């Protein structure tokens, strides 16, 4: 048991131990029922109190006031919600020991005044913040220097992008967004995805082994195929297949007829080339 954190520390060869597991508020502490009740109940009470008609309530109260209440409820919930896990003892260090502010607009975040995570990563990407130590160590201790409250940037996104795009959503919009994102160059993605060109997690097969990124990714592909119990001769469909690695892997190792679907032109070409590289008959696997 670590004296610094109050939790059991492992000594695995496979992965460094995370000394400060996430203990912030999340879906466990957020009530959707309370949110809906506030969104509808407050305008309904005002309509009843002032004796307003249904359409007046709907047009002038529920829609504009409901959005304001929605944002206010989410902000207050995120700011004052109790942590889900209180077992971990955080170091209680000043924010300067974790990150360095390079811009005067961020000068208020000093001492124990935590910076909202949304403000942190936007300014970090803009080069206005530097990390003072290893990135993994700093992010693991994020609850000691960052807060996770609903910030102004997220409110702006909700009002100007999420609501309009949800109301006026089209297939063309999906296609444009996906292609703008994923057709920017396979070399760009290969730089951080590695040869597997696969997102998300890696799977540790043995805690006593120090496996490479490629081995962890292959473990994951194998686990996925085993979990869905692929058998030779079956048909396998991967919707949103990315660069087609799972489709190619399943066809090669489990002798299934595999089809991957993507909106990315680059991903389609890459995936079909990968199928050829794996020595799989194009009649058995394809990315479309």
């Amino acid at each position: 048991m670590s004296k610094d954190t109050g939790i059991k520390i492992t000594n695995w060869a496979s992965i460094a131990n995370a000394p400060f597991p996430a203990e912030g508020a999340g879906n466990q502490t957020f009530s959707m029922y309370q949110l809906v009740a506030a969104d509808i109940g407050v305008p309904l009470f005002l309509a009843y109190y002032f004796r307003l008609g249904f359409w007046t309530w709907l047009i002038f109260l529920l829609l504009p006031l409901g959005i304001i209440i929605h944002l206010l409820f989410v902000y207050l919930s995120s700011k004052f919600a109790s942590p889900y896990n209180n077992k971990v003892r955080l170091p209680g260090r000043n924010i300067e020991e974790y990150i360095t502010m390079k811009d005067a607009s961020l000068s208020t975040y000093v001492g124990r005044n935590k910076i909202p995570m949304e403000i942190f990563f936007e300014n970090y990407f803009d080069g206005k913040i530097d990390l003072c130590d290893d990135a993994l160590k700093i992010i693991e201790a994020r609850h000691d220097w960052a807060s996770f409250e609903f910030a102004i940037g997220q409110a702006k996104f909700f009002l100007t992008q999420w609501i309009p795009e949800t109301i006026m959503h089209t297939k063309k919009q999906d296609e444009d967004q996906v292609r703008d994102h994923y057709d920017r160059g396979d070399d760009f993605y290969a730089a951080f995805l590695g040869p597997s060109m696969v997102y998300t997690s890696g799977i540790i097969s043995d805690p006593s082994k120090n496996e490479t990124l490629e081995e962890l990714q292959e473990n994951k592909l194998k686990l996925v195929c085993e979990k869905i119990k692929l058998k030779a001769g079956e048909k396998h469909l991967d919707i949103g297949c990315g660069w087609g690695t799972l489709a190619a892997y399943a066809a090669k190792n489990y002798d299934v007829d595999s089809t991957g679907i993507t909106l990315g032109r680059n991903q389609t070409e890459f995936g079909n080339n990968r199928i050829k590289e794996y020595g799989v008959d194009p009649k058995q696997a394809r990315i479309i």
Side-chain angles (χ1 to χ4, degrees):
M1 186 73 70
S2 168
K3 295 180 180 179
D4 297 328
T5 62
I7 61 172
K8 184 178 180 180
I9 300 296
T10 60
N11 187 27
W12 292 355
S14 58
I15 189 170
N17 188 88
F20 305 113
E23 85 298 341
N27 66 313
Q28 303 93 341
T29 57
F30 184 85
S31 172
M32 186 62 69
Y33 296 109
Q34 292 177 2
L35 173 62
V36 173
D39 286 347
I40 298 176
V42 174
L44 196 61
F45 170 78
L46 292 175
Y48 173 80
Y49 184 81
F50 291 106
R51 301 180 182 277
L52 303 176
F54 173 79
W55 291 109
T56 303
W57 168 74
L58 180 65
I59 298 173
F60 295 102
L61 280 180
L62 181 61
L63 295 180
L65 186 59
I67 292 175
I68 295 173
I69 293 172
H70 187 99
L71 293 173
L72 185 62
F73 184 95
V74 173
Y75 169 73
L76 293 174
S77 296
S78 64
K79 188 173 182 65
F80 298 109
S82 300
Y84 179 64
N85 176 8
N86 289 305
K87 297 179 181 179
V88 179
R89 291 194 296 270
L90 296 172
R93 298 173 185 156
N94 291 333
I95 193 171
E96 297 90 337
E97 297 185 49
Y98 295 105
I99 59 178
T100 300
M101 310 300 179
K102 300 168 61 178
D103 192 277
S105 64
L106 303 171
S107 60
T108 57
Y109 299 110
V110 294
R112 293 299 298 156
N113 185 23
K114 297 181 179 181
I115 183 171
M117 182 57 79
E118 189 257 355
I119 294 176
F120 162 73
F121 66 68
E122 291 288 356
N123 285 276
Y124 175 75
F125 292 141
D126 287 340
K128 298 179 182 179
I129 291 178
D130 271 345
L131 305 182
C132 297
D133 200 349
D134 177 73
L136 180 60
K137 291 180 181 179
I138 291 174
I139 295 301
E140 284 175 348
R142 60 196 175 279
H143 291 283
D144 200 40
W145 55 267
S147 65
F148 293 83
E149 62 198 61
F150 195 70
I152 188 66
Q154 292 159 317
K156 181 180 178 182
F157 170 81
F158 178 75
L159 293 172
T160 63
Q161 294 186 54
W162 191 88
I163 291 179
E165 290 183 7
T166 299
I167 295 173
M168 300 177 288
H169 196 81
T170 65
K171 291 183 179 180
K172 182 66 167 55
Q173 184 183 57
D174 284 339
E175 185 177 333
D176 291 343
Q177 290 179 350
V178 168
R179 287 183 176 164
D180 177 67
H181 189 80
Y182 287 114
D183 287 345
R184 64 182 58 196
D186 295 333
D187 55 342
F188 170 78
Y189 289 97
F192 61 90
L193 294 181
S196 67
M197 295 293 276
V198 175
Y199 271 123
T200 70
S201 64
I203 299 295
I204 298 168
S205 66
D206 183 350
S208 66
K209 292 170 58 179
N210 186 2
E211 296 174 294
T212 65
L213 171 64
E214 292 72 30
E215 288 174 320
L216 295 173
Q217 294 285 24
E218 178 140 348
N219 292 341
K220 180 179 65 176
L221 294 170
K222 180 180 178 182
L223 182 65
V224 169
C225 292
E226 291 178 350
K227 285 290 185 181
I228 61 176
K229 301 180 180 180
L230 284 181
K231 296 181 179 63
E234 292 184 333
K235 289 186 176 181
H236 163 236
L237 176 63
D238 186 359
I239 301 175
C241 67
W243 287 267
T245 302
L246 176 60
Y249 179 90
K252 176 183 178 182
N253 295 282
Y254 291 83
D255 197 26
V256 296
D257 184 287
S258 201
T259 300
I261 298 176
T262 176
L263 287 173
R265 291 191 178 96
N266 283 21
Q267 292 180 325
T268 302
E269 182 180 1
F270 183 97
N272 285 317
N273 287 334
R274 169 143 291 180
I275 289 169
K276 294 177 183 177
E277 292 170 7
Y278 279 15
V280 176
D281 188 336
K283 294 180 181 180
Q284 184 184 345
R286 79 289 304 160
I287 308 300
I288 58 176

